Every structure is written in structure tokens, then in C-alpha cells.
Amino acid sequence: MSKKNIRILASKSPRREKILKMINLDFLIIPSSVNEDFDLPMPPEAFVEHWAREKAKDISKAKPKSLVIGADTIVVIDSMKLGKPKNEIESISMLKLLSGKTHQVITGVSLMHKELKIDISFNDTTLVSVKKLTQNDISSYISIYSPYDKAGSYGIQDGFAAFISSINGCYYNVMGLPISKFYFVYKKLNYTYSL
């Protein structure tokens, strides 16, 4: 990775890091300090794109010569937006909401390079169906996996997979980054700007 084409992931998510490494992309990790305001009156798709862009913009200010990748993931159930649970009570409440229903996982992604005037945002949605959960299912899952850093209070890549009956859309989107859509957009940039 030469100095002129440094890429930065503006996230501390180990899942996003792992997904990007799958396509052999070299990048630095500089987490953004931006936190979502869930009271922002926006449709879910616009909401995740807005916060993904805010995160990328936060890092781009200090790194204008780098391509910064921002991302934001939420769960939407019954028109409610769910982020990361703050504690066990919120975690239990979220999993009860998801029990026996199909919800949306929506991830917004932003690619920003201030010097090259790149400012692109997009989103992707995956439908996830969850089996009916018992109180013991919920308590045991939270006790073992402590899902407080995950939107909707679960990880599709961990033990919660046992409770997922089907998904419609990108699996990696549920983990936090829609890799196929990202790769398509990134490659287009690569051709255009020689990143």
C-alpha cells in the first residue's frame, strides 16, 4: 500500500475488518468517534447512509489524501430502528422483539476521498427470519456471547445462527458490510481514480 493510495476503515468492528480482508484489501483502522442519534427523523436507508458518511467524514478531515470507508448497520423491526443494546435489559428486549419474526438488517456504506472529491454512499438490505425464542434461549445467548456491540443484539456468525430460519440477501451485510455491493462500487472507483 503506497502512501498515495492509503485506505482507512473508520470502524473498530472486527467483523468489518475480517470481511474487507477477504478481498485482499490493504487498509488502516482508525475508528470514528461519531455516534448515531437514533432520534434523527429519517427513513432507515437514509439513516444508515447519513451516519456512514458522517463517520467517513470525521476521519477524512484529518486524512484528506486517503480513501476512507465508513459503515453503519441497524436492524429494523415493526418500523422500529434498533442499534446496539446498552445493557442486558435492552438486549433482552431486542431479542424478544425479533423472536418469531422477520426483520431487516440495513447497512449504509460511505466511500470518501477529500482530495479526489470522492463522496459516494449506498446501502443494502437483508431480510432475516428468526425462530420463536424462549426466555432460556435469550438468557443463555446473552450470557455466552454478550452481544452488546452488535445491532439488534445478535451476531449471525455466532451461536445465534441456530435461531435463524432463513435469510434473503447478503449474509455479510448482516455482519456489517455488504461485500459484493462494496466490491462493485470500489472496483468502479479503482478504474476511475486509480486508487
Side-chain angles (χ1 to χ4, degrees):
M1 182 165 54
S2 71
K3 283 193 174 182
K4 77 168 193 172
N5 61 0
I6 290 174
R7 293 169 291 268
I8 296 171
L9 174 62
S11 170
K12 62 183 177 183
S13 164
R15 294 167 296 282
R16 290 188 182 124
E17 179 184 355
K18 184 178 179 181
I19 293 168
L20 280 179
K21 284 182 175 176
M22 287 167 49
I23 57 171
N24 297 316
L25 201 66
D26 291 324
F27 56 92
L28 304 175
I29 296 173
I30 306 178
S32 164
S33 58
V34 169
N35 290 310
E36 303 96 321
D37 173 6
F38 268 76
D39 293 326
L40 206 62
M42 287 182 171
E45 294 83 1
F47 181 90
V48 292
E49 284 193 25
H50 171 81
W51 289 114
R53 186 174 180 275
E54 287 298 303
K55 292 173 184 179
K57 190 164 69 172
D58 179 47
I59 302 303
S60 286
K61 289 174 189 172
K63 302 289 183 182
K65 297 178 185 293
S66 300
L67 179 72
V68 181
I69 303 161
D72 189 65
T73 301
I74 61 170
V75 163
V76 178
I77 179 81
D78 298 333
S79 300
M80 286 182 288
K81 297 192 288 276
L82 306 181
K84 300 169 186 174
K86 296 184 180 71
N87 50 47
E88 185 179 358
I89 292 170
E90 282 195 7
S91 187
I92 290 169
S93 176
M94 286 183 184
L95 293 179
K96 281 183 175 179
L97 280 172
L98 302 183
S99 175
K101 295 180 182 176
T102 297
H103 62 270
Q104 295 175 296
V105 180
I106 308 175
T107 298
V109 180
S110 176
L111 297 171
M112 190 173 289
H113 193 303
K114 292 198 84 163
E115 192 174 79
L116 296 179
K117 294 183 170 49
I118 296 170
D119 187 350
I120 296 172
S121 298
F122 60 91
N123 69 80
D124 199 21
T125 298
T126 302
L127 298 178
V128 181
S129 298
V130 178
K131 293 178 180 176
K132 194 76 177 166
L133 303 173
T134 66
Q135 185 61 50
N136 187 56
D137 290 334
I138 292 171
S139 299
S140 297
Y141 175 72
I142 293 171
S143 172
I144 294 168
Y145 293 98
S146 302
Y148 305 117
D149 65 334
K150 299 174 180 69
S153 191
Y154 76 89
I156 194 170
Q157 71 285 353
D158 62 28
F160 200 78
F163 305 123
I164 293 175
S165 56
S166 68
I167 70 166
N168 184 358
C170 176
Y171 170 86
Y172 294 101
N173 185 50
V174 186
M175 284 180 67
L177 192 74
I179 191 62
S180 178
K181 203 164 188 177
F182 171 86
Y183 189 67
F184 174 80
V185 174
Y186 175 77
K187 288 299 284 184
K188 204 169 177 182
L189 282 182
N190 209 11
Y191 296 136
T192 308
Y193 294 94
S194 300
L195 293 170

